[in-house]
Amino acid sequence: MERIAIFPGSFDPITTGHTDIVERAAPLFDKIIVSIGQNIAKNYMYSQEQRKKWIEDTFKNTPNVEVDFYQGLTIEYCKEKNASYILRGLRTSADFEFEKAIAHTNREISEIEIETVFLLTSSEKSFISSSIVRDVIKNGGNIKNLVPDPVFQSLKNS
Ligand code: ADP
């Protein structure tokens, strides 16, 4: 059976913290689907299409990475995609507590076996978050080392 992992998130925008997790996870799975979740309670800075395009451009040379959107429960989406794994990155102990509750809930409510696989962020990327990147962008700072090149190039030209 193919080992398919979903990497769910907002990716508003994708950062080098996200790419670090995907690149390190790519050898572990046959396919990783980076999936942009739609949360109606959240106000996004960038459109879904823009976020998807940046992720596609970022991973254009990584053949086992796909990009998609989803709505609703992550476990239902996993079922639809035949994915048995949810990939998440851990930066801090706060991330761990939050993710632990979600992973336990997912196991509890899912009728299919889904394992959440956590990768620890590389130490030099642990401070990066999309919300900090958005603040730097809004205030005109340099995001070169915080986002993958396609995001940097596209924002530089905008
Ligand atoms: P969400 O709204 O689900 O938190 P994000 O786009 O912020 O969406 O994050 C998606 C995933 O990427 C989460 O598992 C998050 O912990 C992980 N992540 C975000 N930034 C980093 C980073 N700097 N290092 C490692 N993992 C990260």
Side-chain angles (χ1 to χ4, degrees):
M1 207 174 84
E2 252 198 326
R3 280 165 308 150
I4 303 174
I6 303 294
F7 185 43
S10 308
F11 308 104
D12 188 30
I14 184 164
T15 68
T16 48
H18 295 126
T19 55
D20 174 65
I21 296 291
V22 174
E23 278 159 12
R24 283 167 45 226
L28 307 177
F29 299 101
D30 296 309
K31 182 158 81 182
I32 297 176
I33 310 177
V34 181
S35 301
I36 304 171
Q38 210 185 335
N39 181 343
I40 40 172
K42 276 196 183 177
N43 276 326
Y44 299 105
M45 181 158 166
Y46 297 105
S47 71
Q48 277 203 330
E49 287 68 31
Q50 177 64 86
R51 284 180 276 152
K52 182 167 188 259
K53 169 94 173 54
W54 279 332
I55 303 170
E56 280 167 351
D57 291 349
T58 300
F59 296 112
K60 65 174 188 296
N61 296 322
T62 316
N64 63 336
V65 174
E66 283 178 16
V67 191
D68 193 20
F69 303 119
Y70 78 103
Q71 272 182 332
L73 289 177
T74 309
I75 50 162
E76 290 303 321
Y77 175 72
C78 287
K79 211 157 70 178
E80 193 187 301
K81 291 288 174 186
N82 262 322
S84 304
Y85 304 93
I86 296 174
L87 174 65
R88 296 289 284 176
L90 291 181
R91 288 163 289 189
T92 59
S93 51
D95 269 358
F96 171 74
E97 291 301 334
F98 179 73
E99 296 291 341
K100 188 171 86 165
I102 295 180
H104 282 153
T105 307
N106 282 340
R107 277 183 80 96
E108 202 59 42
I109 66 176
S110 174
E111 329 88 67
I112 56 165
E113 279 291 317
I114 293 184
E115 287 294 347
T116 304
V117 175
F118 297 105
L119 290 191
L120 280 187
T121 178
S122 307
S123 55
E124 72 277 13
K125 302 275 191 288
S126 62
F127 66 94
I128 300 173
S129 70
S130 294
S131 61
I132 291 177
V133 168
R134 289 197 298 275
D135 277 348
V136 176
I137 294 170
K138 281 179 197 154
N139 291 292
N142 185 353
I143 54 165
K144 189 171 185 357
N145 296 325
L146 306 178
V147 295
D149 203 49
V151 180
F152 177 69
Q153 294 301 337
S154 118
L155 289 174
K156 199 173 73 171
N157 299 327
S158 68

